[in-house]
Amino acid sequence: MNNYFQRVALSLLLSAVSAQNSDAYVLMISMDGFRADYLDRTYTPNFDKLANRGVKAESLRPVFISKTFPNHYSLATGMYPENHGLIANSFYAPDLQERYSMRDRSKVEDGRFYAGEPIWITAEKQGLKAASFYWVGSEAQGLRPSIWKRYDQGVPFDARVDSVISWFSLPPPSRPNLVLLYFHEPDWTGHAEGPNGWKTLKKVRDMDALLGRILSKTSKLDIAQNLNIIVTSDHGMMEVDSEKLIDLSAYADFSDVRFEGSGPTVAISSDSEERLGEVYESLTTVPHCNVYYRQDIPDRWHYKNHDRIGDILVVADKGWWLSALSHGSFLPKGMHGYDNDLQSMHAIFIADGPAFKDGYLRGIFDNIHVYPLVAHILDLAPYPGIDGDLDAVRDLLRD
Ligand code: AMP
Ligand code: ZN
Ligand code: ZN
């Protein structure tokens, strides 16, 4: 009899625990190009409030290359670009014999370009509803969560927030446990005005005010007590100097090779070993950059084991701009894409909610650990083969 009561008590306890876990909610917000030190350079009371109540990392290290598409997809999958396949914003994919470009709708929505398992798919496979407002990868065929939106930059930020609030207000069978939300600022202004421009810092304050409205609205939700809010970003922003322009075509002949990109990195590919050798030799004389054959790209970048990565990669020193246009190219005032160890390329990570410690500050961590962190909060078994590791960020958690 005693045993029977023990078993009943245990099963009641277990069902209470599992009900509690399926009651966990996560809202993950990305503010594109939010450089870590922006928070120290202007007045951001709402970010400060969130950090004081919850957790904050000194900064979040992006994956290399420090561009939007590779990084959002690494945040979503816990994988390095050499494993998830989105190795740049634009690239040639020899495996598909097609080009990918973030500006080409048909490619952005073509699931064949995307490997790994984004967190919203992990959630839905394990019985939770998920939603995305513009997260990279969530528009692709075969990768879409139950609720998703086709990218339209013109949709006002507050309208995006109102949609998210309405999703969290749905009755339980339809209500998502996981929502991802994207804003293209302060990246947009950071490119135009540079990371030190007053308009960029003004935009940071605008994003702080937006965060204030998000916190106010989410605090009124029925699920408020169970909601974890993560505010993060894909990369930082570097000042670009119009004096630091390198015209690679002055050093090497790029006719009959594939030349990809401009700015912090360029990639060159060819089927001809001989032509690659010639181009490589010529480029070794260029100042203010490093040139690598793919197999020699530094291991710390985890950026070589995919044939979408160019045969030769040229990486500019900080603030330098590579191009192959003898007549010059359009230069923004700010850019990212440089070495992900540079502090100026680092992003933010701030989170608050029942899963997180209170008022806890920690050091830098890599954005590949965000996927296992979110999976853990939602009690999901992570996709095998991810590069991220929950143990690297477990200290953020309350238990
Ligand atoms: P970049 O600064 O070049 O790395 O890219 C940032 C830009 O990516 C933003 O300004 C957006 O216009 C664009 N972007 C972000 N998400 C998407 C998406 N899902 N589809 C198309 N473009 C996007
Ligand atoms: Zn970005
Ligand atoms: Zn950008």
Side-chain angles (χ1 to χ4, degrees):
M1 218 32 173
N2 249 349
N3 250 344
Y4 170 80
F5 281 118
Q6 271 170 1
R7 278 206 313 273
V8 170
L10 188 66
S11 77
L12 281 176
L13 186 71
L14 283 177
S15 66
V17 169
S18 63
Q20 191 178 25
N21 286 343
S22 67
D23 275 353
Y25 292 85
V26 172
L27 169 59
M28 180 150 92
I29 303 168
S30 167
M31 298 187 179
D32 199 311
F34 206 117
R35 174 169 147 165
D37 71 355
Y38 284 166
L39 290 175
D40 306 324
R41 287 164 47 197
T42 189
Y43 181 59
T44 53
N46 292 296
F47 283 101
D48 299 348
K49 185 164 82 180
L50 196 67
N52 288 335
R53 284 188 197 157
V55 299
K56 180 186 173 192
E58 200 181 307
S59 64
L60 184 70
R61 188 187 292 110
V63 294
F64 186 76
I65 58 176
S66 46
K67 290 279 191 182
T68 297
F69 273 56
N71 274 285
H72 277 97
Y73 204 55
S74 286
L75 283 162
T77 58
M79 288 181 168
Y80 292 115
E82 67 177 3
N83 293 325
H84 68 49
L86 225 55
I87 59 100
N89 285 346
S90 305
F91 53 86
Y92 178 72
D95 48 316
L96 303 171
Q97 299 189 347
E98 273 180 50
R99 268 187 62 74
Y100 179 94
S101 166
M102 69 177 208
R103 308 213 180 277
D104 183 339
R105 267 292 96 202
S106 68
K107 303 304 164 81
V108 169
E109 295 187 17
D110 185 339
R112 295 173 307 152
F113 286 99
Y114 303 79
E117 185 177 274
I119 187 71
W120 56 84
I121 298 294
T122 307
E124 300 231 324
K125 275 189 178 168
Q126 295 175 48
L128 296 185
K129 279 246 148 37
S132 163
F133 212 118
Y134 298 162
W135 204 278
V136 170
S138 65
E139 302 151 281
Q141 295 266 8
L143 283 185
R144 295 169 179 163
S146 304
I147 308 176
W148 67 281
K149 297 271 181 183
R150 183 166 279 125
Y151 194 71
D152 173 0
Q153 195 152 294
V155 173
F157 289 178
D158 282 291
R160 303 181 196 189
V161 173
D162 289 343
S163 291
V164 167
I165 295 296
S166 75
W167 299 340
F168 276 135
S169 308
L170 289 168
S174 325
R175 182 193 301 156
N177 285 80
L178 169 66
V179 176
L180 297 101
L181 172 60
Y182 171 80
F183 303 107
H184 62 269
E185 292 283 15
D187 180 77
W188 193 265
T189 308
H191 282 297
E193 306 292 334
N196 302 317
W198 69 266
K199 285 187 186 165
T200 304
L201 294 179
K202 164 80 171 66
K203 188 56 73 177
V204 168
R205 292 193 294 279
D206 292 346
M207 298 312 282
D208 181 78
L210 177 69
L211 177 61
R213 295 194 291 281
I214 294 172
L215 296 181
S216 160
K217 287 180 178 174
T218 51
S219 74
K220 295 181 187 109
L221 289 167
D222 288 347
I223 58 146
Q225 295 309 314
N226 300 335
L227 180 62
N228 297 282
I229 300 180
I230 298 172
V231 186
T232 189
S233 184
D234 49 352
H235 52 69
M237 190 63 71
M238 169 101 63
E239 194 96 277
V240 172
D241 182 341
S242 57
E243 305 283 293
K244 293 183 174 172
L245 180 64
I246 301 168
D247 170 21
L248 296 175
S249 66
Y251 296 84
D253 169 17
F254 299 116
S255 56
D256 70 20
V257 298
R258 195 176 318 110
F259 186 97
E260 190 81 49
S262 68
T265 60
V266 303
I268 297 129
S269 301
S270 172
D271 293 334
S272 161
E273 296 269 326
E274 194 187 332
R275 285 292 291 120
L276 282 178
E278 287 166 9
V279 169
Y280 179 88
E281 284 310 317
S282 313
L283 292 177
T284 54
T285 63
V286 184
H288 311 298
C289 65
N290 286 295
V291 50
Y292 307 99
Y293 280 118
R294 187 200 301 155
Q295 66 269 21
D296 302 327
I297 295 173
D299 290 340
R300 69 186 173 88
W301 282 336
H302 301 275
Y303 195 76
K304 62 172 96 179
N305 294 320
H306 204 300
D307 64 2
R308 296 177 184 175
I309 297 165
D311 295 325
I312 292 173
L313 182 72
V314 191
V315 182
D317 291 349
K318 63 177 186 177
W320 287 83
W321 188 274
L322 305 170
S323 80
L325 299 168
S326 45
H327 49 85
S329 66
F330 167 75
L331 279 191
K333 287 190 184 156
M335 191 35 91
H336 50 88
Y338 297 95
D339 187 343
N340 60 339
D341 262 349
L342 291 165
Q343 191 59 41
S344 57
M345 291 297 100
H346 285 203
I348 52 167
F349 183 92
I350 301 170
D352 183 34
F356 294 102
K357 283 183 179 157
D358 298 331
Y360 179 69
L361 179 67
R362 65 153 287 160
I364 300 167
F365 69 91
D366 290 292
N367 73 3
I368 51 163
H369 303 310
V370 171
Y371 169 99
L373 181 69
V374 175
H376 177 83
I377 293 170
L378 294 173
D379 202 15
L380 300 170
Y383 182 69
I386 59 167
D387 298 304
D389 180 1
L390 177 62
D391 286 337
V393 286
R394 210 186 272 278
D395 59 306
L396 294 168
L397 296 167
R398 194 180 286 278
D399 307 314

